[in-house]
Amino acid sequence: MTLNHKIKPIDFVFILTAVICLAPFISSPIALILGFTLASFGLVPTQFNLAALTKKLLSYSIIGLGFGINLNEAIEASRQGLGLIVSSIFFTLFLGWLATHFLKLDKKTGHLIAAGTAICGGSAIAAVSPAINARDDQTSLALATVFVLNAAALFLFPAIGHLLEMSQHAFGTWAAIAIHDTSSVVGAAGSYGDEALKTATTLKLARALWIIPVAFGSALMFKGDSKKISIPYFIVFYCLAILVAHFVPQFHSTYMLIFDASKRLLVVCLFLIGSGITVSKLRNAGHKPLLLGIVLWLAIGAASLTYIELFL
């Protein structure tokens, strides 16, 4: 946006709605719907790089959440969930490889969808895509598929959790394993409760660390370029925030303010994500990529839920 750019009614409506999403009565699913509604009516400003803005705000908000995480609880949650994280990643990638062959889907598109389902949605796709030299259309199809399923997860997961009367810890674990993007994980878990949010965030970011080895492995598999792998540095700062809150406890009240503000900022992120979802993007996803995404999502969702219900 240039300095001489005049504020248009579209800009005003969009910015006002984003500000309203900071209010406590706006939940993550509602924010997503508001964003999608504005996009559907052409009320999203085109001069803003919303994708870049969303990525930055999401990183800042996740780092802020670290100030509300107890170090000992984070270590215990990671220790308990490590086996589930590792097994779910390898299970999803293997099933994705099988299903891609069965559906006769483009191999790179299928692998990107599997990687996004196995680790952390759009972030994993963005990291793996350059490593395997994926084309823009292959990356877009994978991202569109993940967008659709992430939107559905915000509504379905809390409803199923309440229906099954899942505990906060159990739901947070399930959300971290079975939902793709970090934004949707924290959105769904945050609407379920603070304990669910803390558990989900900790396990989700532990899962996100697998972006690096999976991207390297993908580069070898497809004979791509391992030097193009992007590393999610915000995870490091999230861990630093946990350590600061633990070793400098005298500012606890300030940390809680940051934690609460970060939760509201996450809702705004989901509004921005919703504003990037259009009917044309949903159409472009096509039935085969979407079918693969649904199969993988149902498989990992059902398998992890069964494990959690039996053993947690």
Side-chain angles (χ1 to χ4, degrees), residues 232-254:
Y233 289 106
F234 69 89
I235 299 176
V236 176
F237 291 105
Y238 168 82
C239 295
L240 286 176
I242 296 176
L243 292 174
V244 169
H246 180 77
F247 290 107
V248 193
Q250 54 266 40
F251 299 107
H252 178 74
S253 57
T254 302

Side-chain angles (χ1 to χ4, degrees), residues 257-303:
L257 288 176
I258 297 174
F259 178 74
D260 291 336
S262 298
K263 287 195 296 181
R264 297 316 310 166
L265 186 58
L266 280 168
V267 177
V268 176
C269 290
L270 286 163
F271 163 74
L272 295 175
I273 289 171
S275 67
I277 301 174
T278 61
V279 174
S280 61
K281 278 187 178 180
L282 300 182
R283 279 204 204 99
N284 290 338
H287 73 280
K288 280 190 177 182
L290 189 58
L291 180 59
L292 173 63
I294 292 173
V295 167
L296 295 179
W297 193 39
L298 290 177
I300 190 60

Side-chain angles (χ1 to χ4, degrees), residues 68-295:
I69 305 295
N70 180 279
L71 177 60
N72 294 325
E73 291 177 358
I75 293 173
E76 181 61 19
S78 299
R79 186 187 65 80
Q80 290 182 352
L82 181 61
L84 184 57
I85 289 171
V86 174
S87 58
S88 66
I89 288 172
F90 282 98
F91 168 73
T92 305
L93 290 173
F94 178 69
L95 183 60
W97 176 77
L98 283 179
T100 296
H101 281 272
F102 180 78
L103 293 171
K104 296 181 179 179
L105 182 64
D106 172 76
K107 291 182 180 180
K108 289 187 178 181
T109 302
H111 183 71
L112 289 175
I113 293 172
T117 306
I119 308 172
C120 56
S123 298
I125 293 170
V128 173
S129 180
I132 66 173
N133 296 321
R135 299 190 309 268
D136 287 345
D137 62 303
Q138 294 168 326
T139 305
S140 297
L141 280 173
L143 287 172
T145 301
V146 167
F147 263 137
V148 174
L149 300 179
N150 273 322
L154 276 174
F155 298 92
L156 292 176
F157 272 66
I160 294 173
H162 287 300
L163 181 65
L164 298 177
E165 299 182 344
M166 297 179 72
S167 68
Q168 293 277 318
H169 176 71
F171 182 82
T173 302
W174 186 42
I177 297 299
I179 301 179
H180 309 74
D181 275 339
T182 303
S183 56
S184 293
V185 170
V186 295
S191 66
Y192 204 80
D194 276 357
E195 185 185 340
L197 174 62
K198 293 175 182 178
T199 300
T201 305
T202 300
L203 290 180
K204 181 61 179 178
L205 295 183
R207 184 178 162 203
L209 289 172
W210 283 82
I211 284 179
I212 302 168
V214 168
F216 274 113
S218 300
L220 293 174
M221 186 187 307
F222 287 90
K223 298 180 180 179
D225 188 355
S226 61
K227 294 180 180 179
K228 294 182 179 179
I229 296 169
S230 58
I231 300 173
Y233 289 106
F234 69 89
I235 299 176
V236 176
F237 291 105
Y238 168 82
C239 295
L240 286 176
I242 296 176
L243 292 174
V244 169
H246 180 77
F247 290 107
V248 193
Q250 54 266 40
F251 299 107
H252 178 74
S253 57
T254 302
Y255 300 149
M256 287 301 98
L257 288 176
I258 297 174
F259 178 74
D260 291 336
S262 298
K263 287 195 296 181
R264 297 316 310 166
L265 186 58
L266 280 168
V267 177
V268 176
C269 290
L270 286 163
F271 163 74
L272 295 175
I273 289 171
S275 67
I277 301 174
T278 61
V279 174
S280 61
K281 278 187 178 180
L282 300 182
R283 279 204 204 99
N284 290 338
H287 73 280
K288 280 190 177 182
L290 189 58
L291 180 59
L292 173 63
I294 292 173
V295 167

